[in-house]
Amino acid sequence: MGTFFIFYNNILKHFRFLLILFCVLHLNTISIARAECFSIIPYAHNNKYTHLPQNKNFCVKNKSGIFKFKTSQIHSRMIFNNYDDENSFFAFGDSQLLGIDWDDTKEVKHDLEKILETKNVSIFASPNNGPFQSLSQAIDIFKNKKFNNVKKIVFSFNFGNDIFRIQKRWKLENFVPLKTEDLNIMMDKPFLYDLVILKGVLSGKFFSTNLPDNLETYLLYKNLSKLSSQERINIWLTKIEQFKSSLNKKINLIIYPPYWMYNKNGNVIYEDVYADYLNLLLYIKKRNIFYQVFVGKLNSKNYLTTDKRHFKTGTIKFKKQ
């Protein structure tokens, strides 16, 4: 009898897979001729860091609307239609820094424009780009002497996700489905990219349909070794210090609070996490590596994007330390 149920469950599992795949294929076949926007930001990795497509114009459509993206030859997001070698700031980070819910048709300013008080910014940011990956990308970019005119460099630390990505056991390739050489093939075929995403969701390797809620993420955080986290943060800061000395440029840091620290009304529900967040700020200031440090604090009740994993543009107030 037990064997029957195992067999039954396997059949059911594969039936569900085939049913979902059939529905997606059927629905998309009908609309494929009209499909112009991606449902998720297209990005890939080169074994060192993640990046956006190269020199492309594309749009992303979700429940919040349509968002337009323009990228440069070196994979940066161009938020005001200028060129990388004309910009005075280069910013490196993950999708929170990128601004997934913003384009230049929106009334609200991009967070970087508000913080830096300039529109001349190239944003080298994409999903799952952790602190070490962002630094690797910056090192690669500044090998090109063409960008010696860049006045300042900006890094971000998105505490809610980067505290996990900074761990030694975190592997980039376990979270990003596409490699660099595959991304260009997908850019003219949003439907094909969605199938790659679907495969990742169903396999559970790259994506999960059951993302952890606030409590689950909090428990994952509490299971981290504080000593190990501190050691990894030290290594990251030391590498930034070495990078800074090699370039002789001013470097700023933007720190985002963990989105999962708040309840739906925007109130802090995990005071111990908030204390750790503030202690990280104090430690970073003590190291005296950055020219300016901007720390974020939630300033809105309606603060999450549709994926429930990013702060909406304009909902975080940044204070210079």
Side-chain angles (χ1 to χ4, degrees), residues 38-55:
F38 293 87
S39 57
I40 296 175
I41 293 173
Y43 71 106
H45 76 92
N46 59 6
N47 292 320
K48 295 192 295 183
Y49 50 82
T50 68
H51 59 80
L52 297 177
Q54 181 184 46
N55 197 25

Side-chain angles (χ1 to χ4, degrees), residues 118-181:
T118 180
K119 296 182 177 182
N120 297 323
V121 186
S122 291
I123 308 177
F124 299 86
S126 54
N128 285 309
N129 219 27
F132 287 109
Q133 290 74 37
S134 298
L135 178 57
S136 292
Q137 188 173 20
I139 291 171
D140 272 5
I141 293 297
F142 282 99
K143 287 177 182 176
N144 189 338
K145 303 302 180 184
K146 179 181 179 181
F147 303 119
N148 284 342
N149 63 313
V150 174
K151 294 179 180 178
K152 292 178 184 176
I153 299 168
V154 180
F155 286 105
S156 69
F157 190 90
N158 182 10
F159 192 104
N161 290 316
D162 283 340
I163 197 64
F164 298 102
R165 295 173 185 148
I166 209 165
Q167 304 298 321
K168 189 174 183 178
R169 64 179 178 272
W170 192 85
K171 302 296 182 184
L172 177 68
E173 56 271 20
N174 291 336
F175 294 88
V176 185
L178 288 180
K179 299 196 72 173
T180 299
E181 55 268 26

Side-chain angles (χ1 to χ4, degrees), residues 211-225:
L211 294 171
D213 59 22
N214 285 13
L215 176 58
E216 291 169 332
T217 307
Y218 172 71
L219 294 176
L220 288 172
Y221 172 75
K222 295 300 289 185
N223 282 333
L224 294 176
S225 164

Side-chain angles (χ1 to χ4, degrees), residues 79-95:
I79 60 174
F80 291 102
N81 295 322
N82 41 5
Y83 298 94
D84 287 306
D85 56 3
E86 295 177 352
N87 286 336
S88 52
F89 285 84
F90 278 15
F92 298 86
D94 71 348
S95 50

Side-chain angles (χ1 to χ4, degrees), residues 36-45 50-54 56-61 67-71 75 95 98 100 125-127 176-179 182-190 192-194 196-197 207:
E36 297 177 353
C37 293
F38 293 87
S39 57
I40 296 175
I41 293 173
Y43 71 106
H45 76 92
T50 68
H51 59 80
L52 297 177
Q54 181 184 46
K56 294 290 184 180
N57 289 284
F58 62 91
C59 59
V60 175
K61 183 177 181 181
F67 303 93
K68 298 177 182 178
F69 291 77
K70 178 182 178 181
T71 63
H75 305 278
S95 50
L98 180 66
I100 64 169
S126 54
V176 185
L178 288 180
K179 299 196 72 173
D182 302 322
L183 187 55
N184 282 337
I185 300 173
M186 302 291 177
M187 288 312 298
D188 297 325
K189 304 174 181 66
L192 185 59
Y193 184 76
D194 285 346
V196 172
I197 300 300
F207 304 92

Side-chain angles (χ1 to χ4, degrees), residues 92 130-136 138-139 153-157 166 232-254 284 287-291:
F92 298 86
F132 287 109
Q133 290 74 37
S134 298
L135 178 57
S136 292
I139 291 171
I153 299 168
V154 180
F155 286 105
S156 69
F157 190 90
I166 209 165
R232 296 294 290 172
I233 288 170
N234 275 331
I235 293 172
W236 171 63
L237 290 173
T238 299
K239 286 180 177 291
I240 287 184
E241 194 169 29
Q242 293 167 347
F243 173 64
K244 174 186 172 184
S245 62
S246 71
L247 288 178
N248 194 28
K249 291 183 183 294
K250 294 176 179 177
I251 298 182
N252 293 346
L253 178 67
I254 299 171
I284 286 174
R287 287 290 302 264
N288 197 31
I289 297 170
F290 300 99
Y291 177 67

